[in-house]
Amino acid sequence: GKSSLLKEIYFRSQRSEDWKWKETPQKISYLSHELGLYTSLSLLENLVFFLGEKVARTKNSEDLLKKFKLEKRLYDPISTYSRGMK
């Protein structure tokens, strides 16, 4: 339902004078209240699952974890995180 609705909005907007899009390629995204994380897994386990071992353990990943103050919660299950942390 949600994907169909977003596609319909997008394609109708292409034919309507009421919609004003920038001249760049357009995308519509949907951010659900469900984040798609495995709550029984730790942050590190989720990163490895979704990004792969090499990407999850790069310097860039470490820098991002520090930036968002999550490096100390790396081994905690996602279920223990607040909504904002997720």
Side-chain angles (χ1 to χ4, degrees):
K2 292 178 283 298
S3 296
S4 298
L5 174 63
L6 291 173
K7 287 177 188 174
E8 189 66 22
I9 290 170
Y10 176 77
F11 289 115
R12 285 184 186 252
S13 72
Q14 298 296 304
R15 298 184 293 263
S16 172
E17 292 294 322
D18 296 330
W19 287 74
K20 305 294 184 226
W21 294 95
K22 294 179 181 176
E23 296 300 319
T24 59
Q26 302 305 310
K27 293 182 182 180
I28 294 179
S29 299
Y30 169 75
L31 181 60
S32 171
H33 64 281
E34 289 294 326
L35 301 173
L37 298 170
Y38 290 100
T39 57
S40 62
L41 298 180
S42 70
L43 174 56
L44 179 59
E45 290 167 326
N46 271 281
L47 290 172
V48 169
F49 180 81
F50 288 108
L51 301 174
E53 183 81 29
K54 288 183 179 180
V55 176
R57 296 185 181 269
T58 62
K59 174 78 170 111
N60 187 46
S61 294
E62 290 175 14
D63 291 344
L64 287 170
L65 289 168
K66 287 178 184 172
K67 181 177 183 177
F68 290 101
K69 298 180 174 63
L70 290 170
E71 72 275 10
K72 292 181 181 177
R73 300 290 308 269
L74 197 57
Y75 300 100
D76 297 341
I78 295 295
S79 61
T80 65
Y81 285 34
S82 69
R83 180 78 181 149
M85 288 175 73
K86 292 177 187 176

